[in-house]
Amino acid sequence: MEVTLLEATEDPEDLVCKAARNDYSAEFVGGQSLEATMEDVDGDTLEEKKETLIGHLLKHGHYGPFEHPQITFAVEGVSRSCMAQITRHRHVSFDVQSMRYVSFDDVDPADVREGEMVVVPPSATDPDWVGRNQKTDAVDEETVGERAEIFRDTIENAVQSYQDLLDLGMPPEDARFVLPIGTEVNMVMSMNARMLMHVADMRAAADAQWEIRELTEDLLDIAAEWCPLTFDYYESEMKNRKNRLAP
Ligand SMILES: Cc1cc2nc3c(=O)[nH]c(=O)nc-3n(C[C@H](O)[C@H](O)[C@H](O)COP(=O)(O)OP(=O)(O)OC[C@H]3O[C@@H](n4cnc5c(N)ncnc54)[C@H](O)[C@@H]3O)c2cc1C
């Protein structure tokens, strides 16, 4: 999996502050400098004032201003299962690589065994990995070896069958039905800062699956650079709170 930043609102936290100050100012924030807009906020420097205001908004659940800054990520190589999970978030906009128009006919099925084209979950190869709803605790090397063999044989055969069907003239949109749910997909996704916190609430949590958690942690790493005050507060004060539904 690889997650990269495609585009993001410049000076996102200035925008959050302007939007929030608009709510409580007699003055019109349009055309005003940020210094003037923030004059009444506690803090010696503009940075301190921004930190005060952003912390205050998040602490009091005033999340609307965080809907103004937008960010777009490019995500490479998550499973279709992970894609199905993340696309449940209705306030995120997606473009998802098509399996109708892109046919994976140049992949060597033998390479699929080694992690090409299909995501191999850690529980297929790591004896110490314990996932949710697993019927046993950690298993021995022999058992995990058997798991790995079954998993790798199955995905290799599936990709081989897919390519055989393409060779027999079947359209990619139908041949894809034989591919596993772990088949990799690339996505572009856009959301606002509020939604990013909501996605993190649900998908960085311990009860989310390892793959979407990894994806979300990568999103949060980028967000920490993009909106440092906001996501620093989120990480330190909000991430593990109870009652996480829809910040
Ligand atoms: C650990 C885990 C397990 C899950 N298991 C399953 C499962 O087995 N089966 C399954 O189907 N889904 C499952 N989900 C998906 C989950 O039920 C949600 O559909 C998904 O996480 C989207 O989040 P959301 O409901 O907060 O909506 P989002 O689309 O992210 O919307 C954000 C918020 O906007 C509000 N909102 C949006 N649309 C509406 C609406 N129509 N009406 C009212 N309020 C709205 C809600 O407050 C919502 O929380 C699981 C999620 C997690 C994290």
Side-chain angles (χ1 to χ4, degrees), residues 46-91:
L46 187 56
E47 202 56 21
E48 279 180 23
K49 286 169 185 269
K50 285 200 279 185
E51 192 175 346
T52 303
L53 180 56
I54 284 171
H56 179 84
L57 293 170
L58 292 174
K59 183 173 180 191
H60 294 277
H62 185 165
Y63 299 122
F66 297 91
E67 291 178 16
H68 299 292
Q70 294 277 331
I71 187 163
T72 302
F73 302 98
V75 179
E76 184 184 36
V78 289
S79 70
R80 294 238 155 211
S81 171
C82 181
M83 183 269 283
Q85 294 172 6
I86 193 78
T87 52
R88 293 296 299 278
H89 293 287
R90 289 158 284 188
H91 307 295

Side-chain angles (χ1 to χ4, degrees), residues 88-91 195 198 202-203 207-208 245-246:
R88 293 296 299 278
H89 293 287
R90 289 158 284 188
H91 307 295
M195 192 57 203
H198 176 65
M202 302 205 74
R203 304 303 186 171
D207 57 353
L245 264 189

Side-chain angles (χ1 to χ4, degrees), residues 8-35:
T9 302
E10 264 183 60
D11 302 322
E13 294 181 321
D14 293 6
L15 182 58
V16 169
C17 289
K18 282 227 163 187
R21 290 299 298 150
N22 171 75
D23 302 358
Y24 307 115
S25 299
E27 304 296 325
F28 177 48
V29 298
Q32 218 180 28
S33 70
L34 186 61
E35 284 77 3

